[in-house]
């Protein structure tokens, strides 16, 4: 069993003993601590709760809602909702915070509490640490009967879609005229709730939804990476679709499939959409240290400035605000477009990409070929309790002291035509080793070189 407390929230496998999984006791403890943080001396507070379709979702939801009410906080329960929908609902309700119940790309035995502030954005590292400190103390003062919180149920899906369609660069008429044939894999979660009405309102008449029933029993491993996407790849190619889209269980990541079933490449989701946005509204961009250099190249070609942030959505958002970036995101298919909101949003990504594809008059594969070509090799090393991660990172940093080294998040070494980034994952007990070069073999060689160095330590 696993319980991980990080900048990405409280994430764990369901079941087991306290502190060794995401048990009911752990849920109560962390939600109670968050409630204290939200109230911060206020006499009244409201929190939005939304969840993905995981099998454990109803159980976790009932405990979260009950705990918030027990702390005297009113709850707006929006039920099955994407992560970006919940983020927007916090602002729409003028609420004091929000909790998203989702373990994102993790398998179905996982769930998580993702904590939001009153802006519908993830807590900062300092704010998250405050919550964790309060949770460790377990010193909570629950409300008496006359002061219990109340629950209101709402649906925010259409509100979210309205926001997406109101974006100036979402061209519904162009999308309609293109008459696209689209396939979407909803991975048996809330994509099946939000994406059918989105595509309908975008004017896409020829659309096939795979795994659309939100049962939480995922048809395949839910992370939208190539090895998990064989079903949709084969379907797109065999049914002569123009494009395929794949989301993760909470619909904040977007992968794109070319018309021949090949991968557009998840790194190029943000690259292509940013290029479209920059072509109409020049400005700056941000992605994280583990994302492709292609965004930097595209940004500079459009006259803007690119910044690399530490991994983690909150870090990217902070850097975007500091640099007045007009678009940003992460190479895992996460698109952050502040004109809608400061959060990764696959609905925004789909609408902007279809607008881009319609304007380009190209096929998906032809559009992909217009961008600088890089290949990323994504690797991992599993950790055990005795692994000294800091010592490993320090040794690698010392080994490459003559290169450009960045240490704001693990260790990243930039070479002239390639880079490698080592960091401890926020969401899993592993070290991630990402390497990028102009060819797959070069990227693999660089990653293997680093892995061999670690083995020698």
């Amino acid at each position: 069993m696993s319980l991980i407390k990080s900048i990405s929230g409280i994430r764990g496998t369901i079941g087991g003993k306290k502190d060794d999984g995401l048990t009911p006791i752990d849920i109560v403890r962390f939600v109670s601590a968050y409630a204290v943080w939200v109230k911060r001396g206020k006499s009244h507070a409201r929190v939005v709760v939304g969840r993905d379709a995981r099998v454990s979702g109803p159980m976790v939801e009932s405990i979260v809602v009950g705990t918030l009410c027990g702390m005297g906080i009113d709850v707006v329960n929006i039920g099955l909702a994407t992560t970006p929908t919940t983020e927007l609902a916090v602002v729409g309700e003028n609420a004091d915070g929000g909790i998203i119940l989702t373990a994102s790309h993790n398998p179905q035995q996982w769930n998580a509490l993702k904590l939001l502030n009153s802006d519908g954005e993830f807590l900062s590292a300092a704010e998250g640490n405050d919550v964790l400190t309060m949770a460790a103390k377990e010193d909570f003062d629950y409300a008496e009967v006359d002061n219990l919180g109340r629950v209101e149920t709402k649906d925010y899906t259409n509100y979210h879609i309205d926001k997406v369609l109101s974006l100036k660069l979402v061209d519904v008429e162009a999308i309609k005229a293109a008459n696209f044939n689209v396939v979407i894999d909803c991975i048996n979660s809330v994509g099946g709730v939000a994406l059918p009405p989105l595509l309908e309102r975008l004017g896409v008449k020829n659309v096939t939804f795979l795994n659309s029933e939100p049962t939480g029993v995922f048809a395949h491993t839910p992370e939208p990476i190539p090895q998990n996407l064989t079903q949709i790849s084969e379907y797109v190619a065999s049914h002569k679709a123009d494009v395929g889209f794949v989301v993760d269980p909470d619909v904040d990541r977007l992968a794109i499939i070319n018309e021949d079933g090949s991968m557009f490449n998840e790194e190029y989701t943000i690259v292509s959409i940013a290029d479209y946005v920059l072509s109409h509204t020049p400005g700056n961009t941000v992605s994280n240290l583990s994302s492709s250099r292609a965004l930097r190249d595209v940004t500079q070609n459009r006259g803007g400035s690119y910044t690399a942030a530490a991994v983690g959505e909150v870090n990217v958002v902070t850097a975007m605000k500091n640099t007045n970036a007009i678009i940003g995101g992460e190479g895992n298919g996460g698109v952050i477009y502040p004109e809608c909101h400061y959060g990764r949003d696959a609905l925004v990504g789909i609408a902007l990409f279809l607008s881009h594809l319609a304007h380009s008059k190209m096929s998906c594969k032809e559009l992909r070929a217009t961008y600088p070509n890089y290949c990323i090799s994504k690797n991992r090393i599993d950790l055990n309790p005795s692994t000294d991660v800091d010592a490993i990172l320090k040794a690698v940093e010392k080994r490459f002291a003559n290169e450009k080294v960045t240490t704001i998040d693990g260790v990243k070494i930039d070479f002239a035509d390639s880079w490698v980034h080592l960091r401890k994952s926020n969401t899993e007990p592993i070290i991630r080793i990402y390497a990028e070069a102009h060819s797959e073999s070069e990227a693999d060689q660089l990653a293997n070189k680093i892995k061999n160095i670690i083995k020698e330590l």
Side-chain angles (χ1 to χ4, degrees):
M1 312 302 283
S2 297
L3 184 64
I4 300 173
K5 296 163 280 189
S6 76
I7 194 172
S8 298
I10 314 301
R11 187 178 302 230
T13 50
I14 296 297
K17 296 182 179 180
K18 176 186 172 184
D19 294 322
D20 192 33
L22 192 62
T23 68
I25 293 174
D26 291 295
I27 295 168
V28 170
R29 180 161 52 108
F30 289 112
V31 173
S32 298
Y34 173 71
V36 173
W37 180 85
V38 164
K39 291 176 78 171
R40 286 169 292 184
K42 299 175 184 175
S43 59
H44 178 264
R46 295 170 77 233
V47 169
V48 174
V49 176
R51 68 175 177 90
D52 71 13
R54 289 169 188 274
V55 173
S56 61
M59 180 274 288
V60 177
E61 176 187 78
S62 63
I63 296 172
V64 169
V65 171
T67 302
L68 289 171
C69 290
M71 290 294 292
I73 291 178
D74 289 341
V75 176
V76 180
N77 188 352
I78 64 171
L80 289 174
T82 74
T83 281
T85 302
T86 309
E87 292 168 347
L88 283 166
V90 171
V91 178
E93 288 291 320
N94 194 28
D96 299 284
I99 303 180
I100 310 168
L101 314 181
T102 176
S104 192
H105 64 274
N106 289 102
Q108 65 189 47
Q109 68 267 33
W110 290 76
N111 213 324
L113 312 173
K114 292 188 175 183
L115 310 178
L116 304 175
N117 61 23
S118 59
D119 293 321
E121 299 168 13
F122 291 117
L123 302 191
S124 67
E127 292 167 336
N129 283 333
D130 286 345
V131 172
L132 294 180
T133 299
M134 286 183 276
K137 291 179 180 178
E138 297 190 54
D139 182 19
F140 309 121
D141 186 8
Y142 292 97
E144 295 182 3
V145 66
D146 292 334
N147 297 316
L148 294 173
R150 298 181 179 182
V151 181
E152 185 177 5
T153 301
K154 291 189 178 182
D155 187 337
Y156 258 83
T157 297
N158 285 328
Y159 177 90
H160 186 180
I161 294 172
D162 287 343
K163 286 282 189 182
V164 173
L165 267 67
S166 71
L167 298 172
K168 293 178 182 178
L169 294 183
V170 173
D171 193 336
V172 175
E173 293 307 313
I175 293 170
K176 285 180 180 177
N179 195 31
F180 290 126
N181 183 350
V182 176
V183 182
I184 299 185
D185 182 350
C186 301
I187 190 57
N188 304 108
S189 191
V190 289
V193 174
L195 298 184
L198 172 70
L199 270 291
E200 181 180 359
R201 293 185 59 187
L202 285 172
V204 181
K205 295 180 180 178
N206 303 312
V207 55
T208 301
F209 292 96
L210 305 178
N211 309 315
S212 61
E213 188 178 356
T215 61
V217 180
F218 305 139
H220 56 78
T221 305
E223 187 168 14
I225 54 178
Q227 56 264 43
N228 300 331
L229 307 182
T230 55
Q231 179 193 21
I232 187 171
S233 295
E234 293 168 0
Y235 194 98
V236 167
S238 63
H239 287 75
K240 303 188 185 307
D242 296 300
V243 60
F245 294 118
V246 186
V247 295
D248 61 341
D250 66 328
V251 199
D252 63 356
R253 289 173 60 175
L254 176 65
I256 301 168
I257 312 295
N258 294 324
E259 68 276 6
D260 63 352
S262 62
M263 297 293 118
F264 193 86
N265 188 318
E266 64 175 348
E267 291 289 332
Y268 283 78
T269 297
I270 181 60
V271 173
S272 59
I273 293 170
D275 184 50
Y276 173 64
V277 170
L278 293 170
S279 70
H280 291 83
T281 52
N284 303 328
T285 67
V286 174
S287 65
N288 66 42
L289 287 168
S290 283
S291 298
S292 176
R293 276 186 183 176
L295 180 59
R296 179 202 66 180
D297 294 353
V298 164
T299 304
Q300 292 174 350
N301 287 342
R302 295 289 186 183
S305 176
Y306 166 78
T307 300
V311 174
E313 183 174 321
V314 65
N315 297 319
V316 174
V317 167
T318 299
M320 290 178 69
K321 292 178 178 179
N322 291 340
T323 60
N324 296 313
I326 62 170
I327 190 165
E330 298 184 287
N332 60 12
V335 176
I336 303 172
Y337 190 40
E339 189 171 324
C340 188
H341 67 118
Y342 276 107
R344 295 183 305 180
D345 191 332
L347 279 74
V348 169
I350 288 171
L352 289 175
F353 185 83
L354 286 176
S355 299
H356 186 22
L357 191 62
H359 281 275
S360 75
K361 307 296 183 184
M362 299 180 189
S363 72
C364 217
K365 195 168 186 178
E366 288 170 340
L367 180 61
R368 169 65 179 83
T370 65
Y371 298 117
N373 192 52
Y374 293 98
C375 297
I376 289 186
S377 176
K378 298 185 177 184
N379 304 265
R380 58 186 279 170
I381 294 178
D382 293 330
L383 303 179
N384 59 56
S386 64
T387 303
D388 189 338
V389 179
D390 292 336
I392 290 173
L393 298 179
K394 275 290 183 185
V396 173
E397 178 187 353
K398 185 176 180 181
R399 182 76 169 260
F400 293 95
N402 293 328
E403 304 292 343
K404 179 185 175 183
V405 178
T406 304
T407 57
I408 62 171
D409 183 9
V411 175
K412 183 175 183 179
I413 306 120
D414 275 290
F415 306 98
D417 297 312
S418 61
W419 57 259
V420 63
H421 185 204
L422 294 80
R423 58 180 295 276
K424 185 176 180 179
S425 171
N426 288 331
T427 59
E428 298 176 79
I430 61 175
I431 290 179
R432 299 191 187 276
I433 303 175
Y434 287 10
E436 181 175 68
H438 284 294
S439 72
E440 189 174 336
S441 61
E442 290 173 309
D444 286 339
Q445 288 173 13
L446 179 55
N448 288 331
K449 177 180 179 180
I450 298 299
K451 286 197 285 186
N452 288 333
I453 288 172
I454 292 173
K455 289 176 182 177
E456 294 170 1
L457 295 176

